[in-house]
Amino acid sequence: MPFSVFEVFRIGIGPSSSHTVGPMLAVNRFLQLLKPQLTEVARVQVDLYGSLALTGVGHGTNGAVILGLLGEQPHSVNPATAQDKVDLVRLDQQLLLDGTHEISFSCATDLLFHMRESLPQHPNGMRLTAFDADGNVLVKRAYFSIGGGAVQDEDEIDVSVKLEVTRSSEPCPFASAQDLLNWCETKQCSIADIVLDNELTYQDEQTTRLRLLEIWQVMHDCVERGLITEGTLPGGLSLKRRAPAMFRQAGHGSDGKLSIDFALMDILSAFAIAVNEENAAGGRVVTAPTNGSAGVIPAVLSYYTRFNPSANDDGIIRFLLTAAGIGMLYKRNASISAAEMGCQGEIGVSASMAAAGLVAVMGGTNLQVENAAEIAMEHFLGMTCDPLNGLVQVPCIERNSMGAIKAINAARMAMMSDGRHLVSLDQVIETMRQTGIDMQSKYKETSLGGLAVNVVFC
Protein backbone atom coordinates (compact mmCIF):
# COMPACT_ATOMS: atom_id res chain seq x y z
CA MET A 1 0.00 0.00 0.00
CA PRO A 2 2.39 2.74 -1.21
CA PHE A 3 1.94 6.38 -0.27
CA SER A 4 3.28 9.57 -1.77
CA VAL A 5 4.58 12.29 0.52
CA PHE A 6 1.84 14.47 -0.92
CA GLU A 7 -0.82 12.14 0.40
CA VAL A 8 0.46 13.04 3.87
CA PHE A 9 0.84 16.77 3.19
CA ARG A 10 -2.01 18.32 1.18
CA ILE A 11 -2.74 21.99 0.56
CA GLY A 12 -6.34 22.82 1.39
CA ILE A 13 -8.61 25.05 3.44
CA GLY A 14 -9.94 24.86 6.98
CA PRO A 15 -11.41 23.89 9.23
CA SER A 16 -11.14 20.11 8.72
CA SER A 17 -9.29 17.75 6.41
CA SER A 18 -11.79 14.92 6.99
CA HIS A 19 -14.90 17.11 6.98
CA THR A 20 -13.96 19.94 4.61
CA VAL A 21 -11.11 18.88 2.29
CA GLY A 22 -12.25 15.25 1.97
CA PRO A 23 -15.91 15.96 1.11
CA MET A 24 -14.89 18.62 -1.42
CA LEU A 25 -12.56 16.13 -3.11
CA ALA A 26 -15.30 13.48 -3.01
CA VAL A 27 -17.65 15.83 -4.84
CA ASN A 28 -14.88 16.60 -7.36
CA ARG A 29 -14.54 12.87 -8.03
CA PHE A 30 -18.30 12.52 -8.41
CA LEU A 31 -18.37 15.33 -10.97
CA GLN A 32 -15.67 13.58 -13.00
CA LEU A 33 -17.84 10.47 -13.02
CA LEU A 34 -20.83 12.57 -14.00
CA LYS A 35 -19.14 14.60 -16.77
CA PRO A 36 -20.50 12.60 -19.76
CA GLN A 37 -24.06 13.22 -18.50
CA LEU A 38 -23.56 16.62 -16.86
CA THR A 39 -26.01 18.49 -19.11
CA GLU A 40 -28.75 15.94 -18.31
CA VAL A 41 -28.56 16.63 -14.56
CA ALA A 42 -31.55 18.44 -13.05
CA ARG A 43 -30.84 17.78 -9.37
CA VAL A 44 -28.07 16.51 -7.10
CA GLN A 45 -28.70 15.13 -3.62
CA VAL A 46 -25.94 14.80 -1.04
CA ASP A 47 -26.50 12.58 2.03
CA LEU A 48 -24.06 12.85 4.94
CA TYR A 49 -23.68 10.12 7.55
CA GLY A 50 -21.96 9.45 10.86
CA SER A 51 -19.38 12.00 11.96
CA LEU A 52 -19.85 13.99 8.74
CA ALA A 53 -23.46 14.54 9.77
CA LEU A 54 -22.93 14.98 13.52
CA THR A 55 -20.19 17.61 13.28
CA GLY A 56 -20.60 18.61 9.65
CA VAL A 57 -22.01 22.08 10.24
CA GLY A 58 -19.27 23.05 12.72
CA HIS A 59 -16.60 21.49 10.51
CA GLY A 60 -17.78 23.28 7.37
CA THR A 61 -18.91 20.16 5.50
CA ASN A 62 -22.03 21.81 4.09
CA GLY A 63 -20.02 24.67 2.62
CA ALA A 64 -17.36 22.28 1.30
CA VAL A 65 -20.01 20.24 -0.51
CA ILE A 66 -21.43 23.35 -2.17
CA LEU A 67 -17.98 24.54 -3.21
CA GLY A 68 -17.23 21.10 -4.60
CA LEU A 69 -20.45 21.11 -6.63
CA LEU A 70 -19.38 24.48 -8.05
CA GLY A 71 -16.19 22.81 -9.26
CA GLU A 72 -13.88 24.34 -6.65
CA GLN A 73 -10.93 22.28 -5.37
CA PRO A 74 -9.29 22.47 -1.92
CA HIS A 75 -5.81 23.39 -3.13
CA SER A 76 -6.96 26.20 -5.41
CA VAL A 77 -10.17 27.63 -3.91
CA ASN A 78 -9.81 31.20 -2.70
CA PRO A 79 -10.57 31.29 1.05
CA ALA A 80 -11.37 35.00 0.83
CA THR A 81 -14.33 34.45 -1.53
CA ALA A 82 -15.37 30.89 -0.66
CA GLN A 83 -18.01 31.82 1.93
CA ASP A 84 -19.59 34.40 -0.38
CA LYS A 85 -20.03 31.73 -3.06
CA VAL A 86 -21.65 29.39 -0.56
CA ASP A 87 -23.96 32.11 0.74
CA LEU A 88 -25.05 33.00 -2.79
CA VAL A 89 -26.07 29.40 -3.51
CA ARG A 90 -28.04 29.27 -0.27
CA LEU A 91 -29.79 32.53 -1.11
CA ASP A 92 -30.56 31.86 -4.80
CA GLN A 93 -31.07 28.08 -4.43
CA GLN A 94 -29.27 27.73 -7.75
CA LEU A 95 -25.74 26.65 -8.58
CA LEU A 96 -23.50 26.14 -11.60
CA LEU A 97 -22.68 22.45 -11.42
CA ASP A 98 -18.96 22.02 -12.11
CA GLY A 99 -18.97 25.73 -12.93
CA THR A 100 -20.87 25.24 -16.20
CA HIS A 101 -24.36 23.72 -15.85
CA GLU A 102 -27.05 25.51 -13.84
CA ILE A 103 -29.33 23.44 -11.59
CA SER A 104 -31.61 24.12 -8.64
CA PHE A 105 -30.11 23.34 -5.24
CA SER A 106 -31.84 23.69 -1.88
CA CYS A 107 -29.86 22.92 1.26
CA ALA A 108 -33.11 21.90 2.97
CA THR A 109 -33.90 19.11 0.49
CA ASP A 110 -30.64 18.40 -1.37
CA LEU A 111 -28.06 18.42 1.47
CA LEU A 112 -29.21 16.02 4.14
CA PHE A 113 -27.60 15.25 7.52
CA HIS A 114 -28.39 11.72 8.75
CA MET A 115 -27.26 12.13 12.35
CA ARG A 116 -28.61 8.78 13.53
CA GLU A 117 -27.15 6.74 10.69
CA SER A 118 -23.65 5.68 9.70
CA LEU A 119 -22.48 3.78 6.65
CA PRO A 120 -20.80 0.51 7.66
CA GLN A 121 -17.49 1.03 5.89
CA HIS A 122 -16.36 4.19 7.73
CA PRO A 123 -17.82 6.80 10.12
CA ASN A 124 -17.11 9.59 7.59
CA GLY A 125 -19.49 8.50 4.83
CA MET A 126 -21.45 10.41 2.19
CA ARG A 127 -23.60 9.46 -0.78
CA LEU A 128 -24.11 11.57 -3.89
CA THR A 129 -26.95 11.03 -6.34
CA ALA A 130 -27.61 12.83 -9.63
CA PHE A 131 -31.13 12.85 -11.13
CA ASP A 132 -32.45 13.87 -14.53
CA ALA A 133 -35.52 16.05 -15.07
CA ASP A 134 -37.84 13.02 -14.77
CA GLY A 135 -36.36 11.98 -11.42
CA ASN A 136 -34.37 9.07 -12.84
CA VAL A 137 -31.01 8.31 -11.22
CA LEU A 138 -28.12 9.11 -13.54
CA VAL A 139 -25.22 8.36 -11.19
CA LYS A 140 -25.15 7.29 -7.54
CA ARG A 141 -21.96 6.82 -5.55
CA ALA A 142 -20.82 6.58 -1.94
CA TYR A 143 -17.54 8.11 -0.77
CA PHE A 144 -15.61 7.97 2.49
CA SER A 145 -13.32 10.64 3.92
CA ILE A 146 -10.76 8.40 5.60
CA GLY A 147 -8.53 11.05 7.17
CA GLY A 148 -6.17 13.84 6.17
CA GLY A 149 -8.21 14.69 3.08
CA ALA A 150 -7.88 11.21 1.56
CA VAL A 151 -11.03 9.84 -0.08
CA GLN A 152 -12.10 6.37 -1.16
CA ASP A 153 -15.25 5.36 -2.98
CA GLU A 154 -17.45 2.38 -2.15
CA ASP A 155 -15.33 0.02 -4.26
CA GLU A 156 -11.96 1.20 -2.97
CA ILE A 157 -12.61 1.12 0.74
CA ASP A 158 -12.09 -2.23 2.42
CA VAL A 159 -11.05 -2.20 6.05
CA SER A 160 -10.24 -5.91 5.92
CA VAL A 161 -7.13 -5.27 3.80
CA LYS A 162 -5.94 -2.10 5.56
CA LEU A 163 -3.20 -3.97 7.39
CA GLU A 164 -2.01 -6.06 4.46
CA VAL A 165 1.41 -5.45 2.99
CA THR A 166 1.06 -5.19 -0.77
CA ARG A 167 3.69 -5.38 -3.46
CA SER A 168 4.91 -1.98 -4.51
CA SER A 169 6.76 -0.45 -7.42
CA GLU A 170 8.69 1.67 -4.92
CA PRO A 171 12.39 0.75 -4.66
CA CYS A 172 12.31 0.57 -0.85
CA PRO A 173 8.79 -0.47 0.20
CA PHE A 174 8.19 -0.41 3.94
CA ALA A 175 5.18 -1.34 6.01
CA SER A 176 6.70 -0.84 9.46
CA ALA A 177 9.25 1.30 11.24
CA GLN A 178 11.49 -1.74 11.45
CA ASP A 179 11.32 -2.14 7.66
CA LEU A 180 12.29 1.49 7.34
CA LEU A 181 15.24 1.12 9.71
CA ASN A 182 16.34 -2.03 7.88
CA TRP A 183 16.39 -0.18 4.55
CA CYS A 184 18.45 2.57 6.16
CA GLU A 185 20.91 0.02 7.47
CA THR A 186 21.15 -1.78 4.12
CA LYS A 187 21.69 1.42 2.13
CA GLN A 188 23.62 3.25 4.85
CA CYS A 189 21.41 6.29 4.52
CA SER A 190 18.81 8.33 6.37
CA ILE A 191 15.05 7.86 6.67
CA ALA A 192 14.61 10.96 4.52
CA ASP A 193 16.72 9.35 1.78
CA ILE A 194 14.52 6.22 1.74
CA VAL A 195 11.34 8.29 1.58
CA LEU A 196 12.81 10.38 -1.25
CA ASP A 197 13.86 7.30 -3.22
CA ASN A 198 10.30 6.01 -3.02
CA GLU A 199 8.85 9.41 -3.89
CA LEU A 200 10.77 9.40 -7.18
CA THR A 201 8.31 6.71 -8.26
CA TYR A 202 5.72 9.49 -8.54
CA GLN A 203 7.75 12.44 -9.90
CA ASP A 204 11.37 13.49 -10.43
CA GLU A 205 13.58 14.88 -7.68
CA GLN A 206 13.43 18.50 -8.77
CA THR A 207 9.62 18.42 -8.84
CA THR A 208 9.58 16.73 -5.44
CA ARG A 209 11.84 19.37 -3.93
CA LEU A 210 9.80 22.21 -5.40
CA ARG A 211 6.55 20.74 -4.15
CA LEU A 212 7.98 20.22 -0.66
CA LEU A 213 9.19 23.82 -0.57
CA GLU A 214 5.71 24.90 -1.71
CA ILE A 215 4.25 22.92 1.21
CA TRP A 216 6.61 24.75 3.55
CA GLN A 217 5.76 28.12 1.99
CA VAL A 218 2.04 27.55 2.60
CA MET A 219 2.82 26.53 6.20
CA HIS A 220 5.05 29.57 6.71
CA ASP A 221 2.50 31.96 5.20
CA CYS A 222 -0.20 30.48 7.42
CA VAL A 223 1.92 31.08 10.53
CA GLU A 224 2.62 34.66 9.45
CA ARG A 225 -1.07 35.43 8.77
CA GLY A 226 -2.11 33.93 12.06
CA LEU A 227 0.44 36.00 13.99
CA ILE A 228 -0.97 39.31 12.74
CA THR A 229 -4.69 38.62 12.31
CA GLU A 230 -6.83 39.83 15.20
CA GLY A 231 -10.53 39.33 15.80
CA THR A 232 -13.04 36.63 16.72
CA LEU A 233 -13.29 33.20 15.15
CA PRO A 234 -16.52 32.26 13.35
CA GLY A 235 -18.90 29.60 14.60
CA GLY A 236 -20.69 31.02 17.64
CA LEU A 237 -18.23 30.38 20.48
CA SER A 238 -17.04 34.03 20.28
CA LEU A 239 -13.50 32.75 20.63
CA LYS A 240 -10.96 35.55 20.37
CA ARG A 241 -7.79 34.97 18.38
CA ARG A 242 -4.86 34.77 20.80
CA ALA A 243 -1.80 34.13 18.62
CA PRO A 244 -0.93 37.80 17.91
CA ALA A 245 -0.96 38.79 21.59
CA MET A 246 0.92 35.65 22.60
CA PHE A 247 3.61 36.35 20.02
CA ARG A 248 3.95 39.99 21.11
CA GLN A 249 4.25 39.01 24.76
CA ALA A 250 6.78 36.29 24.01
CA GLY A 251 8.86 38.74 21.99
CA HIS A 252 9.24 40.97 25.04
CA GLY A 253 10.78 38.16 27.06
CA SER A 254 9.84 38.14 30.70
CA ASP A 255 6.43 39.62 31.50
CA GLY A 256 7.17 39.85 35.18
CA LYS A 257 5.25 36.66 35.91
CA LEU A 258 7.21 34.01 34.00
CA SER A 259 10.92 33.63 33.53
CA ILE A 260 12.48 34.64 30.22
CA ASP A 261 13.36 30.94 29.91
CA PHE A 262 9.77 30.39 28.78
CA ALA A 263 10.02 32.79 25.83
CA LEU A 264 10.81 30.14 23.22
CA MET A 265 8.01 27.92 24.54
CA ASP A 266 5.62 30.86 24.28
CA ILE A 267 6.77 31.62 20.72
CA LEU A 268 6.31 27.96 19.76
CA SER A 269 2.78 28.02 21.17
CA ALA A 270 2.03 31.21 19.24
CA PHE A 271 3.19 29.56 16.00
CA ALA A 272 0.97 26.51 16.53
CA ILE A 273 -2.07 28.48 17.66
CA ALA A 274 -1.64 30.94 14.77
CA VAL A 275 -2.01 28.12 12.25
CA ASN A 276 -5.03 26.57 13.87
CA GLU A 277 -6.78 29.87 14.33
CA GLU A 278 -6.32 30.36 10.58
CA ASN A 279 -7.66 26.84 10.07
CA ALA A 280 -10.69 27.55 12.27
CA ALA A 281 -11.39 30.65 10.17
CA GLY A 282 -11.36 28.62 6.94
CA GLY A 283 -7.94 29.82 5.80
CA ARG A 284 -5.42 28.03 3.60
CA VAL A 285 -3.49 25.39 5.52
CA VAL A 286 -1.55 22.18 4.94
CA THR A 287 -2.96 18.94 6.27
CA ALA A 288 -0.08 17.83 8.46
CA PRO A 289 -1.32 15.16 8.53
CA THR A 290 -4.79 16.63 9.25
CA ASN A 291 -6.26 20.12 9.52
CA GLY A 292 -7.15 19.69 13.19
CA SER A 293 -3.46 19.06 13.88
CA ALA A 294 -2.14 21.39 11.16
CA GLY A 295 -0.27 23.66 13.59
CA VAL A 296 2.18 21.21 15.15
CA ILE A 297 4.58 20.59 12.26
CA PRO A 298 4.65 24.23 11.03
CA ALA A 299 5.35 25.36 14.60
CA VAL A 300 8.25 22.94 15.10
CA LEU A 301 9.61 23.61 11.62
CA SER A 302 9.37 27.37 12.27
CA TYR A 303 11.28 26.77 15.52
CA TYR A 304 14.01 25.08 13.46
CA THR A 305 14.18 27.71 10.70
CA ARG A 306 14.13 30.72 13.05
CA PHE A 307 16.41 29.53 15.82
CA ASN A 308 18.89 27.19 14.11
CA PRO A 309 21.61 29.23 12.34
CA SER A 310 22.37 26.34 9.96
CA ALA A 311 18.75 25.93 8.82
CA ASN A 312 18.33 25.88 5.02
CA ASP A 313 16.10 24.48 2.28
CA ASP A 314 17.83 21.10 2.42
CA GLY A 315 17.03 20.90 6.12
CA ILE A 316 13.39 21.82 5.52
CA ILE A 317 13.12 19.10 2.88
CA ARG A 318 14.82 16.56 5.16
CA PHE A 319 12.42 17.46 7.98
CA LEU A 320 9.33 17.07 5.78
CA LEU A 321 10.51 13.81 4.16
CA THR A 322 11.29 12.29 7.56
CA ALA A 323 7.99 13.45 9.04
CA ALA A 324 6.10 12.13 6.01
CA GLY A 325 7.76 8.72 6.36
CA ILE A 326 6.50 8.49 9.95
CA GLY A 327 3.06 9.69 8.89
CA MET A 328 2.88 6.95 6.26
CA LEU A 329 3.34 4.34 8.98
CA TYR A 330 0.31 5.63 10.87
CA LYS A 331 -1.77 5.76 7.67
CA ARG A 332 -0.74 2.21 6.75
CA ASN A 333 -1.06 0.54 10.12
CA ALA A 334 -3.70 2.54 12.01
CA SER A 335 -5.50 5.72 10.90
CA ILE A 336 -5.18 9.48 11.08
CA SER A 337 -8.95 9.94 11.19
CA ALA A 338 -10.29 11.27 14.49
CA ALA A 339 -13.60 9.63 13.63
CA GLU A 340 -11.78 6.29 13.90
CA MET A 341 -8.96 6.95 16.38
CA GLY A 342 -9.95 10.01 18.40
CA CYS A 343 -7.52 12.90 18.68
CA GLN A 344 -4.59 10.55 19.29
CA GLY A 345 -4.82 9.97 15.53
CA GLU A 346 -4.44 13.69 14.83
CA ILE A 347 -2.42 15.58 17.45
CA GLY A 348 -0.61 12.40 18.51
CA VAL A 349 0.45 11.61 14.95
CA SER A 350 1.47 15.18 14.14
CA ALA A 351 3.61 15.36 17.30
CA SER A 352 5.21 12.03 16.41
CA MET A 353 5.98 13.26 12.88
CA ALA A 354 7.32 16.60 14.10
CA ALA A 355 9.57 15.00 16.72
CA ALA A 356 11.06 12.70 14.08
CA GLY A 357 11.62 15.57 11.65
CA LEU A 358 13.34 17.70 14.27
CA VAL A 359 15.75 14.94 15.28
CA ALA A 360 16.58 14.37 11.62
CA VAL A 361 17.58 18.01 11.03
CA MET A 362 19.44 18.25 14.34
CA GLY A 363 21.82 15.49 13.28
CA GLY A 364 20.21 12.58 15.12
CA THR A 365 20.61 8.97 14.07
CA ASN A 366 17.85 6.90 12.48
CA LEU A 367 17.35 5.10 15.79
CA GLN A 368 16.95 8.43 17.57
CA VAL A 369 14.43 9.56 14.93
CA GLU A 370 12.35 6.42 15.51
CA ASN A 371 12.68 6.83 19.28
CA ALA A 372 11.50 10.45 19.16
CA ALA A 373 8.47 9.49 17.08
CA GLU A 374 7.60 6.77 19.60
CA ILE A 375 8.04 9.00 22.66
CA ALA A 376 5.78 11.70 21.25
CA MET A 377 2.90 9.33 20.45
CA GLU A 378 3.22 7.35 23.68
CA HIS A 379 2.04 10.38 25.65
CA PHE A 380 -1.03 11.05 23.49
CA LEU A 381 -2.43 7.52 23.62
CA GLY A 382 -6.14 7.53 24.39
CA MET A 383 -6.76 11.20 23.62
CA THR A 384 -10.40 11.73 22.69
CA CYS A 385 -11.89 14.03 20.05
CA ASP A 386 -14.76 15.96 21.64
CA PRO A 387 -15.02 19.41 20.01
CA LEU A 388 -17.44 21.97 21.47
CA ASN A 389 -20.36 22.71 19.11
CA GLY A 390 -18.68 20.50 16.50
CA LEU A 391 -16.16 23.28 15.83
CA VAL A 392 -12.43 22.74 15.29
CA GLN A 393 -11.67 25.27 18.04
CA VAL A 394 -12.03 24.03 21.64
CA PRO A 395 -9.99 22.08 22.65
CA CYS A 396 -8.46 21.62 19.20
CA ILE A 397 -6.51 24.87 18.85
CA GLU A 398 -4.70 24.64 22.20
CA ARG A 399 -3.90 20.99 21.58
CA ASN A 400 -1.65 22.03 18.71
CA SER A 401 0.43 24.06 21.13
CA MET A 402 0.70 21.05 23.44
CA GLY A 403 1.58 18.82 20.50
CA ALA A 404 4.40 21.11 19.37
CA ILE A 405 5.87 21.38 22.87
CA LYS A 406 5.71 17.61 23.41
CA ALA A 407 7.31 17.04 19.99
CA ILE A 408 10.34 19.13 20.92
CA ASN A 409 10.58 17.49 24.33
CA ALA A 410 10.40 14.04 22.70
CA ALA A 411 13.15 15.01 20.25
CA ARG A 412 15.39 16.24 23.06
CA MET A 413 14.83 13.11 25.13
CA ALA A 414 15.62 10.87 22.18
CA MET A 415 18.84 12.72 21.43
CA MET A 416 19.98 12.37 25.04
CA SER A 417 20.32 8.61 24.49
CA ASP A 418 21.79 6.39 21.78
CA GLY A 419 18.32 5.62 20.39
CA ARG A 420 17.95 2.18 21.96
CA HIS A 421 14.69 1.94 23.90
CA LEU A 422 12.13 -0.50 25.25
CA VAL A 423 8.94 0.38 23.33
CA SER A 424 9.22 0.46 19.54
CA LEU A 425 7.37 2.84 17.23
CA ASP A 426 5.63 -0.14 15.63
CA GLN A 427 4.36 -1.24 19.04
CA VAL A 428 3.05 2.21 19.91
CA ILE A 429 1.28 2.53 16.53
CA GLU A 430 -0.43 -0.82 17.07
CA THR A 431 -1.37 0.28 20.59
CA MET A 432 -2.87 3.47 19.19
CA ARG A 433 -4.88 1.41 16.67
CA GLN A 434 -6.22 -0.93 19.35
CA THR A 435 -7.04 1.99 21.64
CA GLY A 436 -8.93 3.69 18.84
CA ILE A 437 -10.97 0.56 18.17
CA ASP A 438 -11.81 0.25 21.88
CA MET A 439 -12.70 3.93 22.28
CA GLN A 440 -16.44 4.62 22.43
CA SER A 441 -17.79 6.37 19.34
CA LYS A 442 -19.04 9.34 21.40
CA TYR A 443 -15.40 10.29 21.96
CA LYS A 444 -14.48 10.10 18.26
CA GLU A 445 -15.41 13.38 16.53
CA THR A 446 -19.13 13.12 17.11
CA SER A 447 -19.52 15.85 19.76
CA LEU A 448 -21.65 13.37 21.75
CA GLY A 449 -19.30 13.01 24.72
CA GLY A 450 -16.53 14.58 26.79
CA LEU A 451 -16.13 18.36 26.70
CA ALA A 452 -18.75 18.61 23.97
CA VAL A 453 -21.51 17.65 26.40
CA ASN A 454 -20.04 18.79 29.71
CA VAL A 455 -19.42 22.34 28.51
CA VAL A 456 -22.82 23.49 27.29
CA PHE A 457 -22.55 26.50 25.01
CA CYS A 458 -25.68 27.97 23.46
Side-chain angles (χ1 to χ4, degrees), residues 117-279:
E117 298 179 53
S118 185
L119 299 181
Q121 297 95 326
H122 194 279
N124 287 335
M126 59 190 297
R127 183 175 285 116
L128 292 98
T129 311
F131 302 89
D132 65 16
D134 296 322
N136 300 310
V137 174
L138 295 172
V139 178
K140 185 177 185 178
R141 202 75 175 158
Y143 296 92
F144 302 89
S145 183
I146 61 173
V151 173
Q152 293 180 336
D153 67 20
E154 57 198 47
D155 294 331
E156 294 164 337
I157 191 165
D158 185 351
V159 294
S160 67
V161 300
K162 181 175 281 188
L163 300 181
E164 288 186 8
V165 178
T166 58
R167 292 184 180 273
S168 169
S169 59
E170 295 174 343
C172 306
F174 59 90
S176 67
Q178 190 57 57
D179 287 346
L180 190 50
L181 292 173
N182 289 344
W183 277 116
C184 292
E185 179 66 23
T186 299
K187 291 182 168 284
Q188 290 295 292
C189 66
S190 70
I191 288 173
D193 292 331
I194 296 298
V195 176
L196 179 59
D197 282 350
N198 288 343
E199 191 61 30
L200 300 186
T201 304
Y202 306 102
Q203 68 270 312
D204 61 44
E205 184 169 353
Q206 182 180 8
T207 302
T208 300
R209 287 179 60 88
L210 289 173
R211 289 186 67 185
L212 284 169
L213 290 175
E214 179 190 16
I215 290 292
W216 164 238
Q217 189 63 52
V218 174
M219 289 180 173
H220 174 268
D221 291 348
C222 188
V223 171
E224 293 300 315
R225 285 195 312 274
L227 290 177
I228 62 172
T229 305
E230 307 274 0
T232 301
L233 295 172
L237 293 181
S238 300
L239 201 65
K240 184 180 178 181
R241 286 180 180 249
R242 291 182 292 169
M246 290 178 67
F247 188 60
R248 288 193 298 269
Q249 290 170 7
H252 289 113
S254 176
D255 60 2
K257 298 177 183 177
L258 296 175
S259 164
I260 195 169
D261 297 335
F262 286 91
L264 284 180
M265 185 185 298
D266 295 342
I267 290 171
L268 184 70
S269 289
F271 291 160
I273 287 174
V275 171
N276 277 81
E277 287 179 343
E278 280 294 292
N279 177 65

Side-chain angles (χ1 to χ4, degrees), residues 304 308 318 357-366 368-369 415:
Y304 161 71
N308 187 324
R318 190 181 318 119
L358 185 59
V359 171
V361 296
M362 297 302 291
T365 66
N366 294 323
Q368 289 172 327
V369 169
M415 293 188 72

Side-chain angles (χ1 to χ4, degrees), residues 40 43 115 122 183 349 443:
E40 301 174 43
R43 175 173 170 258
M115 296 187 181
H122 194 279
W183 277 116
V349 175
Y443 297 118

